[in-house]
């Protein structure tokens, strides 16, 4: 069977999506990157390989996320795309009329505005921690609540506590304070959901025109408390797509499918699942060529140098004999 | 004498004038290195914490010049367009540098204000020349050469759509060809993607600070238009659309250019505003542009804030996504 593979490498999670030639999801993986992107990409490949029947043939590969370049040189990608476009493509494939995408992942959050099926505007927040999945994880942990139950419990609240949500540090200390005052856990959780949503709308979505259909995706979309808080704040229905947690990977796979079908002659660059069994090594050094002192990253496969980046001048990246 | 000119802030506006002027007076002009990691680091170390990024970078350029010049040139700039001011930070620059960096060589800090009259540039030249101990006759001669060439440089920039990058300035000094081809009213190319790039000259033309933004756009086949290659009368025409007159030059250039090109429909594919963190004027202008452009959705708009911690990763992601947006709009 002909398939396409999408890989989304972020600093918190690394996701895989394998789709068939109609764009149907065959298999998805959501793995923790844990600071080891190369190992995570390889173990993802291994897991896919073990799960799949042998008649699978990968016809194209797309990578996205902050580690898209790294993933691309490890697996051999046909398309390397930014995560905004990838998320939009995936969303459109599930809800073709989508006009607004709210995305909250582990390490960042974004908003994408679409009209007539094309992206017209977007914004992205990579600085502020208060609006991300990692922050929610931490607070759930602090309250001793499994993150999976976070939303469920929050939704029970009748009297949400008001939590200052401007910044992660304030939100946290405010929450601790409210906890000490004896507020109910569900009220605090709901308050936290509302704070995160307010913060997102005031910062990430500032000045954007949010029209329905609104799709909510990214890891945090699993949290029904946040979804509810968005619905209450925006006064609209919020759609969480089936594959909300791997939309970037799905988008990358769809983009690979599109690129390969536009050019029928082209063979995929995919190195095959064997890539998972090769030895990869990333090294870095400081270039002394000029006062920029760039940190150059070198990627080796089985001791052969295959890619380099990090230079501002092209001195290293443009000189890799492949 | 070796006169050190920092490759920062006003360099991007007046350098050709001063270079020719100083050389006509018989001095050697030493330019600091293009911004690099060390310059940025020195800037962060020496400048006061709450300064905007470009002012910090400026301090780094001063440090870069310290051991190789006899005097430093840090003019006190007040106004570069009649009836308008520029950011007050420029005014305090010589004093700021004096109090932040120890062991400085002598500084030439004569005022530059053309608030009343464009010709007042001559007053600036006179005070520099006098500080350096030259006769009025020589100063006047040097001024005439410099201002004539500087004016033709500015015309050349517009007529040849030459962005004042370092390379752009060089090609002006090297070329003896005639620069006076007729300038087009609009610089929009027909078969390319056209992007209007807005921001302070010392941000958008400093390749280190802008993370090579202009080159990155050009590599994607995009034609980059900046206020520096737009005829002044077009910018003024654009700025007239604002209810209030804008009294500071850089804000006017940005807003005026936007209003002038905003209604070009699909001929203009996108507008990018590169703003620096800690810049009051930028945040006001950015806010204004965002409201105007996002609300009407006339043309895709991207606002990028840069600070000393900006990673190239997130920057590239935004830029690539924006290029996808404008390509998508073109196709539709
Ligand atoms: S890679 Fe290029 S820009 Fe970076 S330090 Fe080396 S020579 Fe300088
Ligand atoms: S205009 Fe902004 S960036 Fe320029 S000197 Fe003033 S505060 Fe700094």
């Amino acid at each position: 069977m002909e398939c396409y593979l999408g890989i989304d490498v972020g600093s918190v999670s690394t996701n895989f999506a394998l789709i068939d030639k109609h764009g149907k999801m065959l298999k998805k993986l959501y793995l923790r990157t844990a600071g080891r992107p190369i190992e995570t990409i390889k173990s993802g490949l291994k897991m896919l390989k073990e799960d799949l029947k042998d008649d699978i043939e990968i016809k194209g590969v797309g990578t996205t996320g902050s580690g898209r370049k790294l993933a691309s040189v490890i697996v051999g990608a046909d398309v390397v795309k930014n995560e905004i476009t990838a998320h939009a493509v995936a969303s459109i494939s599930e809800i073709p009329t989508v006009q607004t995408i709210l995305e909250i992942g582990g390490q960042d959050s974004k908003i994408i505005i679409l009209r007539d099926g094309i992206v017209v505007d977007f914004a992205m927040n990579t600085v502020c921690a208060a609006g991300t999945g990692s922050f929610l994880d931490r607070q759930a942990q602090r309250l001793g609540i499994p993150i999976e139950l976070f939303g469920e419990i929050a939704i029970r609240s009748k009297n949400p506590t008001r939590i200052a949500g401007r910044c992660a540090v304030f939100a946290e200390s405010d929450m601790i304070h409210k906890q000490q005052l004896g507020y109910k856990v569900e009220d605090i959780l709901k308050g936290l959901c509302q704070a995160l949503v307010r913060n997102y709308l005031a910062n990430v979505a500032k000045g954007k025109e949010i029209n329905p259909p609104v799709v909510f995706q990214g890891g945090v979309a699993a949290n029904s408390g946040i979804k509810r808080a968005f619905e209450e704040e925006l006064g609209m229905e919020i759609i969480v797509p089936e594959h909300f947690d791997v939309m970037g990977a799905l988008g990358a796979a769809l983009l690979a499918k599109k690129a390969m079908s536009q050019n029928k002659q082209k063979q995929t660059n995919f190195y095959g699942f064997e890539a998972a069994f090769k030895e990869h090594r990333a090294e870095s050094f400081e270039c002394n060529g000029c006062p920029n002192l760039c940190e150059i990253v070198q990627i080796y496969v089985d001791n052969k140098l295959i890619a380099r980046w990090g230079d501002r001048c092209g001195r290293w990246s443009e000189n890799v004999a492949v | 004498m070796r006169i050190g000119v920092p490759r920062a802030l006003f360099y991007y506006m007046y350098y050709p004038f001063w270079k020719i002027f100083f050389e006509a007076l018989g001095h050697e002009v030493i330019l600091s290195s293009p911004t690099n990691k060390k310059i940025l680091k020195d800037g962060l170390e020496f400048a006061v914490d709450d300064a905007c990024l470009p002012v910090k970078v400026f301090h780094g350029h001063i440090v870069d010049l310290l051991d190789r010049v006899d005097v430093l040139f840090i003019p006190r700039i007040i106004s570069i367009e009649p009836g308008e001011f520029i950011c007050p930070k420029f005014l305090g620059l010589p004093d700021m540098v004096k109090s932040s960096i120890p062991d400085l060589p002598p500084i030439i800090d004569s005022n530059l204000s053309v608030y009343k009259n464009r010709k007042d540039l001559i007053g600036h030249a006179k005070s520099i020349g006098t500080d350096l101990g030259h006769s009025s006759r020589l100063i006047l001669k040097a001024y005439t050469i410099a201002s004539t060439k500087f004016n033709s440089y500015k015309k050349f920039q517009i007529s040849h759509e030459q962005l004042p990058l370092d390379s752009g300035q060089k090609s002006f000094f090297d070329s003896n060809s005639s620069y006076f081809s007729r300038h087009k009213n609009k610089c929009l190319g027909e078969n390319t993607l056209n992007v209007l790039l807005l921001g302070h000259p010392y941000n958008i033309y400093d390749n280190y600070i802008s993370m090579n933004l202009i080159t990155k756009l050009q590599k994607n086949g995009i034609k980059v238009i900046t206020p520096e290659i737009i005829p002044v009368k077009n910018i003024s025409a654009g700025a007239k659309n604002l209810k209030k007159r804008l009294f500071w030059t850089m804000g006017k250039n940005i807003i005026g250019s936007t209003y002038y090109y905003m209604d070009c429909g699909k001929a203009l594919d996108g507008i990018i505003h590169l703003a620096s963190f800690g810049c009051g004027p930028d945040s006001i202008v950015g806010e204004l542009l965002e409201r105007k452009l996002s609300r009407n959705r006339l043309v895709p708009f991207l606002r990028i804030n840069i600070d000393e911690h900006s990673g190239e990763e997130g920057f590239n992601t935004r830029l690539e996504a924006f290029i996808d947006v404008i390509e998508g709009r073109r196709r539709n």
Side-chain angles (χ1 to χ4, degrees), chain A residues 66 68 81-82 85 124 292-293 312, chain B residues 36-37 208 313 317-318 320-321 324-325:
Chain A
S66 54
R68 58 188 177 278
K81 211 33 146 178
N82 65 81
T85 305
M124 199 177 154
N292 277 339
L293 306 176
R312 275 186 172 258
Chain B
N36 57 44
K37 196 188 270 174
Y208 189 85
E313 192 74 60
T317 297
R318 282 182 179 79
E320 286 169 27
D324 284 345
V325 168

mmCIF file with all atom_site columns, all heavy atoms in Angstrom, chain A residues 66 68 81-82 85 124 292-293 312, chain B residues 36-37 208 313 317-318 320-321 324-325:
data_model
loop_
_atom_site.group_PDB
_atom_site.id
_atom_site.type_symbol
_atom_site.label_atom_id
_atom_site.label_alt_id
_atom_site.label_comp_id
_atom_site.label_asym_id
_atom_site.label_entity_id
_atom_site.label_seq_id
_atom_site.pdbx_PDB_ins_code
_atom_site.Cartn_x
_atom_site.Cartn_y
_atom_site.Cartn_z
_atom_site.occupancy
_atom_site.B_iso_or_equiv
_atom_site.pdbx_formal_charge
_atom_site.auth_seq_id
_atom_site.auth_comp_id
_atom_site.auth_asym_id
_atom_site.auth_atom_id
_atom_site.pdbx_PDB_model_num
ATOM 1   N N   . SER A 1 66  ? 10.141 22.731 14.947 1.00 0.00 ? 66  SER A N   1
ATOM 2   C CA  . SER A 1 66  ? 11.419 23.431 15.081 1.00 0.00 ? 66  SER A CA  1
ATOM 3   C C   . SER A 1 66  ? 12.591 22.519 14.699 1.00 0.00 ? 66  SER A C   1
ATOM 4   O O   . SER A 1 66  ? 13.649 22.992 14.316 1.00 0.00 ? 66  SER A O   1
ATOM 5   C CB  . SER A 1 66  ? 11.585 23.964 16.501 1.00 0.00 ? 66  SER A CB  1
ATOM 6   O OG  . SER A 1 66  ? 11.409 22.922 17.432 1.00 0.00 ? 66  SER A OG  1
ATOM 7   N N   . ARG A 1 68  ? 12.591 20.477 12.109 1.00 0.00 ? 68  ARG A N   1
ATOM 8   C CA  . ARG A 1 68  ? 12.275 19.933 10.788 1.00 0.00 ? 68  ARG A CA  1
ATOM 9   C C   . ARG A 1 68  ? 13.498 19.634 9.945  1.00 0.00 ? 68  ARG A C   1
ATOM 10  O O   . ARG A 1 68  ? 13.532 18.671 9.180  1.00 0.00 ? 68  ARG A O   1
ATOM 11  C CB  . ARG A 1 68  ? 11.316 20.860 10.045 1.00 0.00 ? 68  ARG A CB  1
ATOM 12  C CG  . ARG A 1 68  ? 11.794 22.303 9.835  1.00 0.00 ? 68  ARG A CG  1
ATOM 13  C CD  . ARG A 1 68  ? 10.649 23.130 9.252  1.00 0.00 ? 68  ARG A CD  1
ATOM 14  N NE  . ARG A 1 68  ? 10.963 24.544 9.063  1.00 0.00 ? 68  ARG A NE  1
ATOM 15  C CZ  . ARG A 1 68  ? 10.906 25.456 10.030 1.00 0.00 ? 68  ARG A CZ  1
ATOM 16  N NH1 . ARG A 1 68  ? 10.590 25.095 11.259 1.00 0.00 ? 68  ARG A NH1 1
ATOM 17  N NH2 . ARG A 1 68  ? 11.178 26.716 9.772  1.00 0.00 ? 68  ARG A NH2 1
ATOM 18  N N   . LYS A 1 81  ? 8.635  21.815 5.890  1.00 0.00 ? 81  LYS A N   1
ATOM 19  C CA  . LYS A 1 81  ? 7.720  22.944 5.945  1.00 0.00 ? 81  LYS A CA  1
ATOM 20  C C   . LYS A 1 81  ? 7.593  23.519 7.346  1.00 0.00 ? 81  LYS A C   1
ATOM 21  O O   . LYS A 1 81  ? 7.679  22.792 8.329  1.00 0.00 ? 81  LYS A O   1
ATOM 22  C CB  . LYS A 1 81  ? 6.350  22.421 5.479  1.00 0.00 ? 81  LYS A CB  1
ATOM 23  C CG  . LYS A 1 81  ? 5.432  23.382 4.759  1.00 0.00 ? 81  LYS A CG  1
ATOM 24  C CD  . LYS A 1 81  ? 6.097  24.388 3.913  1.00 0.00 ? 81  LYS A CD  1
ATOM 25  C CE  . LYS A 1 81  ? 5.385  24.797 2.676  1.00 0.00 ? 81  LYS A CE  1
ATOM 26  N NZ  . LYS A 1 81  ? 6.042  25.811 1.905  1.00 0.00 ? 81  LYS A NZ  1
ATOM 27  N N   . ASN A 1 82  ? 7.380  24.825 7.436  1.00 0.00 ? 82  ASN A N   1
ATOM 28  C CA  . ASN A 1 82  ? 7.159  25.453 8.740  1.00 0.00 ? 82  ASN A CA  1
ATOM 29  C C   . ASN A 1 82  ? 5.868  24.927 9.366  1.00 0.00 ? 82  ASN A C   1
ATOM 30  O O   . ASN A 1 82  ? 4.950  24.510 8.671  1.00 0.00 ? 82  ASN A O   1
ATOM 31  C CB  . ASN A 1 82  ? 7.111  26.971 8.580  1.00 0.00 ? 82  ASN A CB  1
ATOM 32  C CG  . ASN A 1 82  ? 5.921  27.402 7.754  1.00 0.00 ? 82  ASN A CG  1
ATOM 33  O OD1 . ASN A 1 82  ? 4.804  27.495 8.245  1.00 0.00 ? 82  ASN A OD1 1
ATOM 34  N ND2 . ASN A 1 82  ? 6.147  27.619 6.458  1.00 0.00 ? 82  ASN A ND2 1
ATOM 35  N N   . THR A 1 85  ? 2.158  26.507 8.325  1.00 0.00 ? 85  THR A N   1
ATOM 36  C CA  . THR A 1 85  ? 1.546  25.987 7.107  1.00 0.00 ? 85  THR A CA  1
ATOM 37  C C   . THR A 1 85  ? 1.096  24.536 7.313  1.00 0.00 ? 85  THR A C   1
ATOM 38  O O   . THR A 1 85  ? 0.002  24.149 6.895  1.00 0.00 ? 85  THR A O   1
ATOM 39  C CB  . THR A 1 85  ? 2.540  26.091 5.938  1.00 0.00 ? 85  THR A CB  1
ATOM 40  O OG1 . THR A 1 85  ? 2.962  27.447 5.835  1.00 0.00 ? 85  THR A OG1 1
ATOM 41  C CG2 . THR A 1 85  ? 1.915  25.660 4.632  1.00 0.00 ? 85  THR A CG2 1
ATOM 42  N N   . MET A 1 124 ? 2.257  33.889 16.416 1.00 0.00 ? 124 MET A N   1
ATOM 43  C CA  . MET A 1 124 ? 2.875  32.770 17.089 1.00 0.00 ? 124 MET A CA  1
ATOM 44  C C   . MET A 1 124 ? 3.528  33.300 18.349 1.00 0.00 ? 124 MET A C   1
ATOM 45  O O   . MET A 1 124 ? 4.077  34.395 18.365 1.00 0.00 ? 124 MET A O   1
ATOM 46  C CB  . MET A 1 124 ? 3.955  32.271 16.142 1.00 0.00 ? 124 MET A CB  1
ATOM 47  C CG  . MET A 1 124 ? 4.428  30.901 16.379 1.00 0.00 ? 124 MET A CG  1
ATOM 48  S SD  . MET A 1 124 ? 5.607  30.603 15.055 1.00 0.00 ? 124 MET A SD  1
ATOM 49  C CE  . MET A 1 124 ? 6.587  29.396 15.868 1.00 0.00 ? 124 MET A CE  1
ATOM 50  N N   . ASN A 1 292 ? 31.744 36.521 14.881 1.00 0.00 ? 292 ASN A N   1
ATOM 51  C CA  . ASN A 1 292 ? 30.416 35.988 15.156 1.00 0.00 ? 292 ASN A CA  1
ATOM 52  C C   . ASN A 1 292 ? 30.448 34.720 15.980 1.00 0.00 ? 292 ASN A C   1
ATOM 53  O O   . ASN A 1 292 ? 29.473 34.385 16.651 1.00 0.00 ? 292 ASN A O   1
ATOM 54  C CB  . ASN A 1 292 ? 29.668 35.714 13.851 1.00 0.00 ? 292 ASN A CB  1
ATOM 55  C CG  . ASN A 1 292 ? 29.025 36.965 13.329 1.00 0.00 ? 292 ASN A CG  1
ATOM 56  O OD1 . ASN A 1 292 ? 28.801 37.904 14.080 1.00 0.00 ? 292 ASN A OD1 1
ATOM 57  N ND2 . ASN A 1 292 ? 28.740 36.984 12.046 1.00 0.00 ? 292 ASN A ND2 1
ATOM 58  N N   . LEU A 1 293 ? 31.550 34.003 15.909 1.00 0.00 ? 293 LEU A N   1
ATOM 59  C CA  . LEU A 1 293 ? 31.718 32.772 16.684 1.00 0.00 ? 293 LEU A CA  1
ATOM 60  C C   . LEU A 1 293 ? 30.480 31.885 16.615 1.00 0.00 ? 293 LEU A C   1
ATOM 61  O O   . LEU A 1 293 ? 29.907 31.504 17.631 1.00 0.00 ? 293 LEU A O   1
ATOM 62  C CB  . LEU A 1 293 ? 32.008 33.108 18.156 1.00 0.00 ? 293 LEU A CB  1
ATOM 63  C CG  . LEU A 1 293 ? 33.179 34.055 18.416 1.00 0.00 ? 293 LEU A CG  1
ATOM 64  C CD1 . LEU A 1 293 ? 33.282 34.364 19.895 1.00 0.00 ? 293 LEU A CD1 1
ATOM 65  C CD2 . LEU A 1 293 ? 34.489 33.447 17.918 1.00 0.00 ? 293 LEU A CD2 1
ATOM 66  N N   . ARG A 1 312 ? 26.383 31.791 9.976  1.00 0.00 ? 312 ARG A N   1
ATOM 67  C CA  . ARG A 1 312 ? 25.679 32.941 9.430  1.00 0.00 ? 312 ARG A CA  1
ATOM 68  C C   . ARG A 1 312 ? 26.118 33.240 8.007  1.00 0.00 ? 312 ARG A C   1
ATOM 69  O O   . ARG A 1 312 ? 25.487 34.013 7.304  1.00 0.00 ? 312 ARG A O   1
ATOM 70  C CB  . ARG A 1 312 ? 25.936 34.179 10.305 1.00 0.00 ? 312 ARG A CB  1
ATOM 71  C CG  . ARG A 1 312 ? 24.980 34.246 11.463 1.00 0.00 ? 312 ARG A CG  1
ATOM 72  C CD  . ARG A 1 312 ? 25.152 35.540 12.209 1.00 0.00 ? 312 ARG A CD  1
ATOM 73  N NE  . ARG A 1 312 ? 24.095 35.657 13.202 1.00 0.00 ? 312 ARG A NE  1
ATOM 74  C CZ  . ARG A 1 312 ? 23.034 36.425 13.035 1.00 0.00 ? 312 ARG A CZ  1
ATOM 75  N NH1 . ARG A 1 312 ? 22.889 37.152 11.951 1.00 0.00 ? 312 ARG A NH1 1
ATOM 76  N NH2 . ARG A 1 312 ? 22.115 36.487 13.969 1.00 0.00 ? 312 ARG A NH2 1
ATOM 77  N N   . ASN B 2 36  ? 28.478 42.167 14.696 1.00 0.00 ? 36  ASN B N   1
ATOM 78  C CA  . ASN B 2 36  ? 28.696 40.734 14.883 1.00 0.00 ? 36  ASN B CA  1
ATOM 79  C C   . ASN B 2 36  ? 28.432 40.399 16.344 1.00 0.00 ? 36  ASN B C   1
ATOM 80  O O   . ASN B 2 36  ? 28.072 41.266 17.140 1.00 0.00 ? 36  ASN B O   1
ATOM 81  C CB  . ASN B 2 36  ? 30.114 40.340 14.447 1.00 0.00 ? 36  ASN B CB  1
ATOM 82  C CG  . ASN B 2 36  ? 31.173 41.141 15.197 1.00 0.00 ? 36  ASN B CG  1
ATOM 83  O OD1 . ASN B 2 36  ? 31.088 41.323 16.411 1.00 0.00 ? 36  ASN B OD1 1
ATOM 84  N ND2 . ASN B 2 36  ? 32.160 41.645 14.468 1.00 0.00 ? 36  ASN B ND2 1
ATOM 85  N N   . LYS B 2 37  ? 28.621 39.147 16.673 1.00 0.00 ? 37  LYS B N   1
ATOM 86  C CA  . LYS B 2 37  ? 28.267 38.697 18.020 1.00 0.00 ? 37  LYS B CA  1
ATOM 87  C C   . LYS B 2 37  ? 29.026 39.472 19.091 1.00 0.00 ? 37  LYS B C   1
ATOM 88  O O   . LYS B 2 37  ? 28.498 39.840 20.121 1.00 0.00 ? 37  LYS B O   1
ATOM 89  C CB  . LYS B 2 37  ? 28.550 37.206 18.145 1.00 0.00 ? 37  LYS B CB  1
ATOM 90  C CG  . LYS B 2 37  ? 27.872 36.584 19.352 1.00 0.00 ? 37  LYS B CG  1
ATOM 91  C CD  . LYS B 2 37  ? 28.301 35.153 19.575 1.00 0.00 ? 37  LYS B CD  1
ATOM 92  C CE  . LYS B 2 37  ? 27.421 34.156 18.850 1.00 0.00 ? 37  LYS B CE  1
ATOM 93  N NZ  . LYS B 2 37  ? 27.924 32.784 18.960 1.00 0.00 ? 37  LYS B NZ  1
ATOM 94  N N   . TYR B 2 208 ? 23.121 41.582 10.651 1.00 0.00 ? 208 TYR B N   1
ATOM 95  C CA  . TYR B 2 208 ? 23.210 40.752 11.846 1.00 0.00 ? 208 TYR B CA  1
ATOM 96  C C   . TYR B 2 208 ? 21.917 40.868 12.648 1.00 0.00 ? 208 TYR B C   1
ATOM 97  O O   . TYR B 2 208 ? 21.309 39.881 13.031 1.00 0.00 ? 208 TYR B O   1
ATOM 98  C CB  . TYR B 2 208 ? 24.411 41.171 12.700 1.00 0.00 ? 208 TYR B CB  1
ATOM 99  C CG  . TYR B 2 208 ? 24.673 40.210 13.831 1.00 0.00 ? 208 TYR B CG  1
ATOM 100 C CD1 . TYR B 2 208 ? 25.441 39.067 13.622 1.00 0.00 ? 208 TYR B CD1 1
ATOM 101 C CD2 . TYR B 2 208 ? 24.130 40.420 15.086 1.00 0.00 ? 208 TYR B CD2 1
ATOM 102 C CE1 . TYR B 2 208 ? 25.655 38.159 14.640 1.00 0.00 ? 208 TYR B CE1 1
ATOM 103 C CE2 . TYR B 2 208 ? 24.350 39.525 16.122 1.00 0.00 ? 208 TYR B CE2 1
ATOM 104 C CZ  . TYR B 2 208 ? 25.111 38.401 15.893 1.00 0.00 ? 208 TYR B CZ  1
ATOM 105 O OH  . TYR B 2 208 ? 25.316 37.504 16.905 1.00 0.00 ? 208 TYR B OH  1
ATOM 106 N N   . GLU B 2 313 ? 15.589 30.548 14.732 1.00 0.00 ? 313 GLU B N   1
ATOM 107 C CA  . GLU B 2 313 ? 14.599 29.492 14.487 1.00 0.00 ? 313 GLU B CA  1
ATOM 108 C C   . GLU B 2 313 ? 13.185 30.039 14.312 1.00 0.00 ? 313 GLU B C   1
ATOM 109 O O   . GLU B 2 313 ? 12.549 29.881 13.277 1.00 0.00 ? 313 GLU B O   1
ATOM 110 C CB  . GLU B 2 313 ? 14.644 28.539 15.681 1.00 0.00 ? 313 GLU B CB  1
ATOM 111 C CG  . GLU B 2 313 ? 13.901 27.257 15.475 1.00 0.00 ? 313 GLU B CG  1
ATOM 112 C CD  . GLU B 2 313 ? 14.673 26.372 14.546 1.00 0.00 ? 313 GLU B CD  1
ATOM 113 O OE1 . GLU B 2 313 ? 15.822 26.019 14.863 1.00 0.00 ? 313 GLU B OE1 1
ATOM 114 O OE2 . GLU B 2 313 ? 14.106 26.055 13.480 1.00 0.00 ? 313 GLU B OE2 1
ATOM 115 N N   . THR B 2 317 ? 10.743 30.516 10.968 1.00 0.00 ? 317 THR B N   1
ATOM 116 C CA  . THR B 2 317 ? 9.431  29.879 10.881 1.00 0.00 ? 317 THR B CA  1
ATOM 117 C C   . THR B 2 317 ? 8.367  30.899 10.487 1.00 0.00 ? 317 THR B C   1
ATOM 118 O O   . THR B 2 317 ? 7.573  30.676 9.581  1.00 0.00 ? 317 THR B O   1
ATOM 119 C CB  . THR B 2 317 ? 9.068  29.235 12.235 1.00 0.00 ? 317 THR B CB  1
ATOM 120 O OG1 . THR B 2 317 ? 10.022 28.221 12.509 1.00 0.00 ? 317 THR B OG1 1
ATOM 121 C CG2 . THR B 2 317 ? 7.686  28.628 12.207 1.00 0.00 ? 317 THR B CG2 1
ATOM 122 N N   . ARG B 2 318 ? 8.397  32.043 11.161 1.00 0.00 ? 318 ARG B N   1
ATOM 123 C CA  . ARG B 2 318 ? 7.418  33.085 10.841 1.00 0.00 ? 318 ARG B CA  1
ATOM 124 C C   . ARG B 2 318 ? 7.578  33.549 9.402  1.00 0.00 ? 318 ARG B C   1
ATOM 125 O O   . ARG B 2 318 ? 6.620  33.724 8.675  1.00 0.00 ? 318 ARG B O   1
ATOM 126 C CB  . ARG B 2 318 ? 7.611  34.289 11.750 1.00 0.00 ? 318 ARG B CB  1
ATOM 127 C CG  . ARG B 2 318 ? 7.046  34.111 13.112 1.00 0.00 ? 318 ARG B CG  1
ATOM 128 C CD  . ARG B 2 318 ? 7.246  35.400 13.910 1.00 0.00 ? 318 ARG B CD  1
ATOM 129 N NE  . ARG B 2 318 ? 6.705  35.285 15.235 1.00 0.00 ? 318 ARG B NE  1
ATOM 130 C CZ  . ARG B 2 318 ? 7.322  34.660 16.222 1.00 0.00 ? 318 ARG B CZ  1
ATOM 131 N NH1 . ARG B 2 318 ? 8.491  34.092 16.023 1.00 0.00 ? 318 ARG B NH1 1
ATOM 132 N NH2 . ARG B 2 318 ? 6.767  34.580 17.407 1.00 0.00 ? 318 ARG B NH2 1
ATOM 133 N N   . GLU B 2 320 ? 8.963  32.015 6.807  1.00 0.00 ? 320 GLU B N   1
ATOM 134 C CA  . GLU B 2 320 ? 8.559  31.002 5.824  1.00 0.00 ? 320 GLU B CA  1
ATOM 135 C C   . GLU B 2 320 ? 7.042  30.921 5.745  1.00 0.00 ? 320 GLU B C   1
ATOM 136 O O   . GLU B 2 320 ? 6.470  30.816 4.655  1.00 0.00 ? 320 GLU B O   1
ATOM 137 C CB  . GLU B 2 320 ? 9.136  29.631 6.205  1.00 0.00 ? 320 GLU B CB  1
ATOM 138 C CG  . GLU B 2 320 ? 10.631 29.535 5.926  1.00 0.00 ? 320 GLU B CG  1
ATOM 139 C CD  . GLU B 2 320 ? 11.270 28.292 6.550  1.00 0.00 ? 320 GLU B CD  1
ATOM 140 O OE1 . GLU B 2 320 ? 10.565 27.280 6.742  1.00 0.00 ? 320 GLU B OE1 1
ATOM 141 O OE2 . GLU B 2 320 ? 12.483 28.339 6.845  1.00 0.00 ? 320 GLU B OE2 1
ATOM 142 N N   . ALA B 2 321 ? 6.387  30.963 6.905  1.00 0.00 ? 321 ALA B N   1
ATOM 143 C CA  . ALA B 2 321 ? 4.928  30.888 6.898  1.00 0.00 ? 321 ALA B CA  1
ATOM 144 C C   . ALA B 2 321 ? 4.348  32.098 6.174  1.00 0.00 ? 321 ALA B C   1
ATOM 145 O O   . ALA B 2 321 ? 3.387  31.991 5.413  1.00 0.00 ? 321 ALA B O   1
ATOM 146 C CB  . ALA B 2 321 ? 4.393  30.812 8.325  1.00 0.00 ? 321 ALA B CB  1
ATOM 147 N N   . ASP B 2 324 ? 4.587  31.656 2.538  1.00 0.00 ? 324 ASP B N   1
ATOM 148 C CA  . ASP B 2 324 ? 3.502  30.765 2.106  1.00 0.00 ? 324 ASP B CA  1
ATOM 149 C C   . ASP B 2 324 ? 2.194  31.546 1.959  1.00 0.00 ? 324 ASP B C   1
ATOM 150 O O   . ASP B 2 324 ? 1.437  31.328 1.019  1.00 0.00 ? 324 ASP B O   1
ATOM 151 C CB  . ASP B 2 324 ? 3.296  29.630 3.125  1.00 0.00 ? 324 ASP B CB  1
ATOM 152 C CG  . ASP B 2 324 ? 4.388  28.560 3.015  1.00 0.00 ? 324 ASP B CG  1
ATOM 153 O OD1 . ASP B 2 324 ? 5.102  28.552 1.993  1.00 0.00 ? 324 ASP B OD1 1
ATOM 154 O OD2 . ASP B 2 324 ? 4.524  27.750 3.954  1.00 0.00 ? 324 ASP B OD2 1
ATOM 155 N N   . VAL B 2 325 ? 1.953  32.447 2.908  1.00 0.00 ? 325 VAL B N   1
ATOM 156 C CA  . VAL B 2 325 ? 0.713  33.230 2.863  1.00 0.00 ? 325 VAL B CA  1
ATOM 157 C C   . VAL B 2 325 ? 0.657  34.083 1.597  1.00 0.00 ? 325 VAL B C   1
ATOM 158 O O   . VAL B 2 325 ? -0.331 34.077 0.866  1.00 0.00 ? 325 VAL B O   1
ATOM 159 C CB  . VAL B 2 325 ? 0.580  34.139 4.106  1.00 0.00 ? 325 VAL B CB  1
ATOM 160 C CG1 . VAL B 2 325 ? -0.533 35.163 3.925  1.00 0.00 ? 325 VAL B CG1 1
ATOM 161 C CG2 . VAL B 2 325 ? 0.338  33.310 5.356  1.00 0.00 ? 325 VAL B CG2 1
#
